[in-house]
């Protein structure tokens, strides 16, 4: 079978899955285009009568320029913050929807949970919020900031831009025990699929959003079981490439050390994550399993073939992800003046 024919079959598989899912942000496919991302204009007024692309057009037109400038400053200083901000957004939307509940700072909040101990980037959100409050007091929600920061952080390391609809309200409830549902990196593919389906997302979204691991890092402590005692065998995970295994054992002598999720291009948002999986160089068990499971492996191979396909589909899936269980009514949430605390009034 020729490579061109295989590529056609794989892309066709993605087309079929995408065509059967809700697509509020991507234009209809045709025979001459692959994953052409529709960038909505501000004249497109709403998404399911909940979120609006022109929500801040009059009330805070400088919002996106403030946010973009701040994100550039922070990531220029520390590129690892890009992945951290994406992860912060993922944790937020995974629990109570995209309501900025992860940012609330009080005893027993999501932020204080064990699953949140390694989250970073709160100071970036605080910096943006403080400046936005100066320009547009009591107008822009922390939830909208967090969602848009994830977009701009992706763009800074090479991802595609996508238009974010606004109008999210900030939640007032944050409970540490609810973070237990968040995947920890050792689940099987069925569990991951079920988790994504519970959020209104499909298998393609799972594979594509997992591609966020093309940037970022994790602690060696989270993978040492794969290196030394996989499934209580006293041996390493046999699915790890031998040379990569040797590298990881040298890198992770101490559990407190950190290792890049993408061993090839950790500073660039690209398709190399999927190529790594094909070469048995997935760092987390949940990553490598995507290539060994028949439900997800064809999609991994498709993403590995074409950087533009991955980037465009990532933008689309992130658009869906950022709309999970949003709060939009005044009776549902509020506009926090400080992202760390509910309003006092």
């Amino acid at each position: 079978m020729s490579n061109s024919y295989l590529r056609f079959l794989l892309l066709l598989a993605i087309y079929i899955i995408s065509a059967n899912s809700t697509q509020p942000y991507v234009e209809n496919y045709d025979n001459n285009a692959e994953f052409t991302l529709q960038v909505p204009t501000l004249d497109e007024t709403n998404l399911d009568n909940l979120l609006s692309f022109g929500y801040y057009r009059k009330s805070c037109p400088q919002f996106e320029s403030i946010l973009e400038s701040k994100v550039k400053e922070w990531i220029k200083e520390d590129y690892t913050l890009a992945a951290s901000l994406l992860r912060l957004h993922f944790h937020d939307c995974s629990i109570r929807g995209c309501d900025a509940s992860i940012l609330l700072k009080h005893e027993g909040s999501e932020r204080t949970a064990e699953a949140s101990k390694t989250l970073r980037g709160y100071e970036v959100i605080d910096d943006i919020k403080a400046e936005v409050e100066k320009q547009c007091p009591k107008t822009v929600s922390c939830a909208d900031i967090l969602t848009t920061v994830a977009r701009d952080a992706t763009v800074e390391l090479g991802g595609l831009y996508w238009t974010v609809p606004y109008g999210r309200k900030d939640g007032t409830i944050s409970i540490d025990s609810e973070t237990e549902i968040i995947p920890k990196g050792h689940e099987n593919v069925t569990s991951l699929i079920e988790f994504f389906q519970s959020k209104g997302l499909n298998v393609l979204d799972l594979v594509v959003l997992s591609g966020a691991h093309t940037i970022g890092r994790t602690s060696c402590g989270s993978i040492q079981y794969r290196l030394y005692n996989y499934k209580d065998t006293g041996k390493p995970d046999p699915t790890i490439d031998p040379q990569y295994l040797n590298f990881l054992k040298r890198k992770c002598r101490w559990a407190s050390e950190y290792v890049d999720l993408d061993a090839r291009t950790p500073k660039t948002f690209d398709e190399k994550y999927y190529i790594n999986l094909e070469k048995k160089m997935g760092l987390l068990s949940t990553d490598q399993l995507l290539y060994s499971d028949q439900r997800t492996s064809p999609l991994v191979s498709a993403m590995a073939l074409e950087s533009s396909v991955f980037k465009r589909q990532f933008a689309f899936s992130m658009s869906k992800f950022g709309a999970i269980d949003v709060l939009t009514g005044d009776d549902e949430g509020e506009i926090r003046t400080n992202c760390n605390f509910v309003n006092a009034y």
Side-chain angles (χ1 to χ4, degrees):
M1 184 181 294
S2 68
N3 289 337
S4 60
Y5 184 65
L6 176 61
R7 181 175 182 273
F8 167 78
L9 290 179
L10 292 171
L11 292 178
L12 178 62
I14 297 179
Y15 166 82
I16 293 171
I17 294 175
S18 297
N20 289 326
S21 62
T22 304
Q23 300 190 49
Y25 299 98
V26 74
E27 67 183 8
N28 292 329
Y29 294 99
D30 59 44
N31 293 329
N32 298 314
E34 295 176 355
F35 298 100
T36 303
L37 189 67
Q38 175 71 41
V39 180
T41 67
L42 291 178
D43 293 330
E44 295 181 62
T45 56
N46 62 62
L47 168 68
D48 295 336
N49 297 316
L50 295 176
L51 302 177
S52 168
F53 291 108
Y55 193 81
Y56 296 122
R57 179 169 48 183
K58 294 181 179 179
S59 60
C60 194
Q62 62 271 57
F63 163 51
E64 287 209 347
S65 61
I66 292 172
L67 188 142
E68 179 185 10
S69 176
K70 290 290 186 182
V71 171
K72 283 181 179 292
E73 289 176 10
W74 280 94
I75 293 180
K76 183 179 180 180
E77 187 71 21
D78 179 5
Y79 82 91
T80 66
L81 278 170
S84 296
L85 292 166
L86 265 174
R87 186 166 176 242
L88 197 60
H89 177 54
F90 177 79
H91 274 242
D92 180 48
C93 296
S94 293
I95 301 170
R96 287 185 163 265
C98 305
D99 66 347
S101 57
I102 189 64
L103 303 178
L104 287 174
K105 191 176 182 180
H106 60 74
E107 185 177 354
S109 69
E110 297 167 23
R111 184 167 172 171
T112 66
E114 185 64 30
S116 305
K117 294 297 185 184
T118 57
L119 293 180
R120 303 168 60 231
Y122 298 106
E123 68 277 19
V124 180
I125 307 301
D126 290 341
D127 187 27
I128 294 169
K129 179 63 173 175
E131 184 60 31
V132 170
E133 283 296 309
K134 290 179 184 177
Q135 303 295 327
C136 318
K138 302 178 182 180
T139 302
V140 180
S141 70
C142 301
D144 278 345
I145 290 174
L146 188 53
T147 303
T148 315
V149 161
R151 189 268 315 275
D152 282 18
T154 303
V155 171
E156 282 303 301
L157 293 193
L160 288 184
Y161 178 96
W162 65 90
T163 302
V164 175
Y166 298 122
R168 298 166 186 79
K169 292 293 194 299
D170 298 322
T172 58
I173 300 172
S174 185
I175 303 171
D176 55 359
S177 62
E178 294 183 351
T179 64
E180 294 175 3
I181 67 170
I182 295 176
K184 299 174 177 61
H186 52 71
E187 293 79 9
N188 58 42
V189 174
T190 296
S191 296
L192 294 175
I193 290 174
E194 289 175 348
F195 174 79
F196 271 69
Q197 286 178 338
S198 73
K199 306 301 174 185
L201 304 174
N202 58 32
V203 176
L204 176 58
D205 297 317
L206 164 62
V207 174
V208 170
L209 293 179
S210 294
H213 288 172
T214 186
I215 56 176
R217 56 184 186 169
T218 190
S219 68
C220 287
S222 66
I223 64 164
Q224 282 189 327
Y225 77 99
R226 293 192 73 201
L227 308 182
Y228 303 107
N229 191 28
Y230 185 65
K231 293 185 176 179
D232 296 323
T233 61
K235 298 179 181 180
D237 184 343
T239 65
I240 304 177
D241 173 78
Q243 287 187 323
Y244 187 47
L245 176 63
N246 290 335
F247 164 78
L248 291 176
K249 284 184 173 180
R250 292 195 305 270
K251 181 74 174 177
C252 290
R253 291 189 177 95
W254 305 100
S256 57
E257 293 292 325
Y258 284 87
V259 62
D260 292 321
L261 290 165
D262 178 352
R264 294 172 179 271
T265 55
K267 298 182 181 181
T268 306
F269 195 90
D270 57 23
E271 82 288 0
K272 296 299 190 296
Y273 162 82
Y274 300 102
I275 296 175
N276 291 341
L277 301 189
E278 292 181 323
K279 296 181 179 297
K280 298 184 177 181
M281 293 174 60
L283 185 63
L284 301 180
S285 175
T286 46
D287 290 329
Q288 193 58 55
L289 286 173
L290 293 177
Y291 188 59
S292 61
D293 191 287
Q294 62 181 358
R295 294 166 293 181
T296 52
S297 59
L299 299 173
V300 169
S301 296
M303 295 301 155
L305 283 170
E306 192 71 50
S307 179
S308 62
V309 171
F310 162 56
K311 290 181 179 181
R312 289 172 180 169
Q313 190 61 41
F314 186 84
F316 165 61
S317 292
M318 281 294 288
S319 296
K320 290 173 63 179
F321 190 79
I324 294 174
D325 296 334
V326 293
L327 308 176
T328 56
D330 291 335
D331 59 336
E332 296 180 321
E334 61 182 14
I335 305 295
R336 288 186 222 141
T337 55
N338 183 324
C339 292
N340 301 297
F341 309 101
V342 298
N343 294 332
Y345 46 80

